[in-house]
Amino acid sequence: MSRQPSENHHWFPQCLMRPWEGSDNRVESFSIQPWGLSSRRKSTKAIGSEDNLHRIDLLDAPNLFEAIFGRVESRFADAKWKAINKGISVLNRDERENFAFFVALLANRRAEKIKAASVAAADGFSQDLGDKLFSVDEHEADCITKGLGNYIALRASMEFAAEICQEIVRLEWRIIDFSAVTLKLVLADRPVRAWSEDAKLTQLTLPLGPDHLFVAGKFPPHKEIIFGDSFRELLAVDIIGNQFRQAANFVVACSREPYFNLAENIMKNANETPPKGTL
């Protein structure tokens, strides 16, 4: 089985990061390095990706899943633009599902989750494939099992997202505007916060840009106060702190300041188990 050329596949969608780009077409990226916190201007192409992550060499179309994810992202981007510029209420059922499916898929597109699920699936039948079903050498058997493992892992991530998608669709949706707030939102590589009750999703949040926060949930009356203009500065601080707190590898922002000290204090535990409710 011939070695295929390497291709860069994003597990963290570029379309989600682009609202934080500056005039240089780059975002400010905060990440923990062995020597401490790093803050650099980076292209979204250089963040949240790995070579051949979604590739299935056994298929006639080895980049099938990469193409599927591209369509998911495009439909989300269209629905997001409409929701921000025309209002959540104008989204039709298909647009709500496209938006919700993208959000639900975010958690399971993470590279470490795909790799772990792929290895687990491949291990289950690698010996049979290598020793019983095929007369192939060890390298080819490994390629076959890896390909099947990747396929199963990627399919499973989409099936799980389809289930969560319907839970999100059933919630009440809002987009909170922070354009009048001095402190702008940031975006972690584990950006979704979710709350559940009796094993059912009750609320989630996701920053859509420096000035917009997506909130879905069952809102009690006191939430009207929390979402009010006078509370948005406090809400922004809370959302920003949580994004840095739940990061696994990086956080993107519009600028280095005023976030560097906050990132340096909070991101010391990056890569560790995220706070409860982080997807």
Side-chain angles (χ1 to χ4, degrees):
M1 189 170 291
S2 61
R3 185 176 180 84
Q4 299 294 329
S6 178
E7 296 185 13
N8 192 240
H9 293 166
H10 276 79
W11 52 264
F12 197 71
Q14 292 184 78
C15 68
L16 196 58
M17 294 185 278
R18 286 194 180 110
W20 279 268
E21 288 180 339
S23 57
D24 57 355
N25 295 319
R26 293 171 180 265
V27 297
E28 190 72 22
S29 176
F30 298 90
S31 60
I32 293 295
Q33 306 294 337
W35 60 86
L37 180 71
S38 170
S39 171
R40 294 178 56 193
R41 302 293 294 175
K42 290 185 179 181
S43 164
T44 58
K45 290 183 179 180
I47 305 173
S49 65
E50 291 204 14
D51 287 347
N52 295 330
L53 181 64
H54 305 142
R55 189 177 182 90
I56 312 293
D57 286 323
L58 295 178
L59 300 181
D60 291 336
N63 283 318
L64 170 66
F65 282 97
E66 185 68 1
I68 291 172
F69 293 153
R71 290 195 292 271
V72 170
E73 292 167 16
S74 178
R75 291 167 183 168
F76 163 78
D78 290 344
K80 184 188 79 167
W81 183 92
K82 190 173 181 180
I84 289 174
N85 290 281
K86 297 186 177 182
I88 285 284
S89 62
V90 304
L91 296 183
N92 60 37
R93 176 75 185 193
D94 285 345
E95 289 166 333
R96 284 175 68 92
E97 288 188 346
N98 290 337
F99 189 108
F101 186 76
F102 173 90
V103 174
L105 190 58
L106 272 177
N108 284 295
R109 280 181 65 176
R110 295 191 58 76
E112 67 270 19
K113 288 193 175 184
I114 291 174
K115 289 178 179 178
S118 174
V119 169
D123 284 349
F125 46 74
S126 60
Q127 185 172 349
D128 281 343
L129 288 175
D131 298 341
K132 300 176 183 178
L133 301 182
F134 296 97
S135 297
V136 296
D137 62 28
E138 185 176 346
H139 170 69
E140 190 165 355
D142 182 62
C143 289
I144 292 169
T145 55
K146 182 179 179 182
L148 288 171
N150 284 355
Y151 181 83
I152 291 170
L154 291 164
R155 277 292 301 271
S157 70
M158 295 187 66
E159 290 169 1
F160 176 78
E163 294 179 13
I164 302 300
C165 168
Q166 295 308 313
E167 292 191 40
I168 297 173
V169 167
R170 286 192 289 268
L171 297 174
E172 181 184 345
W173 290 14
R174 299 182 185 185
I175 291 181
I176 303 176
D177 190 332
F178 288 87
S179 55
V181 177
T182 303
L183 199 58
K184 298 305 178 185
L185 303 181
V186 301
L187 182 75
D189 58 352
R190 287 191 292 217
V192 179
R193 288 278 286 164
W195 294 262
S196 60
E197 197 172 283
D198 297 328
K200 290 186 178 180
L201 187 66
T202 57
Q203 187 173 326
L204 65 82
T205 62
L206 170 68
L208 298 178
D211 293 327
H212 297 98
L213 178 72
F214 172 69
V215 182
K218 298 177 180 178
F219 304 113
H222 72 269
K223 287 294 183 185
E224 300 300 330
I225 299 174
I226 293 175
F227 296 152
D229 290 341
S230 60
F231 286 86
R232 294 194 188 198
E233 289 279 358
L234 294 175
L235 182 58
V237 170
D238 181 62
I239 295 297
I240 291 166
N242 281 330
Q243 288 293 304
F244 278 115
R245 200 167 290 114
Q246 65 204 44
N249 295 294
F250 64 83
V251 174
V252 300
C254 293
S255 59
R256 185 178 189 272
E257 300 299 341
Y259 307 103
F260 187 84
N261 288 339
L262 182 67
E264 195 169 38
N265 290 331
I266 294 179
M267 289 185 70
K268 292 176 181 177
N269 297 321
N271 291 307
E272 294 184 3
T273 302
K276 183 179 180 181
T278 302
L279 297 184

